[in-house]
Amino acid sequence: MKADMNVDFVGKRKIYYIISLSIIIIGILASFIFGVKLDIQFKGGTIIKYSYSGTLDRLKAEDVAKSVLKDAQISSKINEDFVTHNKTLVLEIDRSLNNETQASLYKAISEAFAENNVQKGQSNTVSASMGRETIGRSVLAVALASILIIIYIAIRFWKIGGWPAGITAFAALLHDVIVGYVAFVVLRIPLNDNFIAVVLTILGYSINDTIVIYDRIRENRRLYGTKVPFADVVNKSINQSFSRSFNTGLATFLSIAVLAVFSVAYKLDSVTSFAVPMMIGVISGCYSTICIAGPLWVSWETHKEKKAAAEKERLAAEREEKKKKLEASKAKKKSK
């Protein structure tokens, strides 16, 4: 990338806003059309793991489980340790199971797959109330992180923006969080603790990138003062930081892509459900840093300037009106 590039990011900000709003609308529609899948950790239920040898048909295992657990919603996945090559069948069931029911289920599966030497391993039961509590704590963690980010940005850039700087940076972060959510919904990945990990990681990555550009805006503001319009200062700062943001984003994306390919190849579902949405989050973080945070700050300042100018015109009009009334009153007295 050239250091002297001059792309009008600020001038094209309405296009970026439309793109971002379209992604948000797609996410909302996808949520209503496909629904939002919640992991056992959030909705409550039972997770049971069975070790086995050979090859096992997980869809057949689901059918066996459904024959024992009438009307239960059951999903399954296969995990394989790439070091020991131990294979595990994981059943996720949308209800709590007592020991007797778990024993009946194990008996049915071990009989259906007698040649696979199925052994019951760990089982975890999460109540619905505990799932709701987990969601509440996760949302609280994200909200607290967001509030601290706004305060930090406002204090650090108080002399050139203050709260507008913090709030527009947060708006860009919120954009990235929504994109991460859309990734989970569209890819049909259940929301679980990996979703919270993705959100918090995106927040950290994106705000770091945004601060770099905001620092450059502050330096250029000191250099040019008020002689150069704020929009031009922001646009110049984004262009000067573009190579750094792009290269950092590309390096991060490729690193996570390797992790994603590795996890898919070795069927590490828990890693895949983090790595794939995180790849999309890195792209979103790089995009929002360049195309949303700075341009949105300019929109804020432009709106504030227009509002101040309109107020100034209103006051001037009121003074002119009072002056005319006073002159008319004086003229009326003279005519008498």
Side-chain angles (χ1 to χ4, degrees), residues 327-336:
E327 290 176 351
S329 177
K330 288 180 178 178
K332 189 175 181 180
K333 287 180 180 179
K334 285 181 180 182
S335 64
K336 289 181 178 179

Side-chain angles (χ1 to χ4, degrees), residues 38-45 125-139 191-192:
L38 295 178
D39 196 82
I40 298 298
Q41 297 167 325
F42 285 174
K43 68 180 180 180
T125 298
V126 179
S127 65
S129 60
M130 187 179 296
R132 288 192 294 270
E133 184 179 346
T134 302
I135 292 178
R137 289 180 177 178
S138 300
V139 171
L191 299 185
N192 53 17

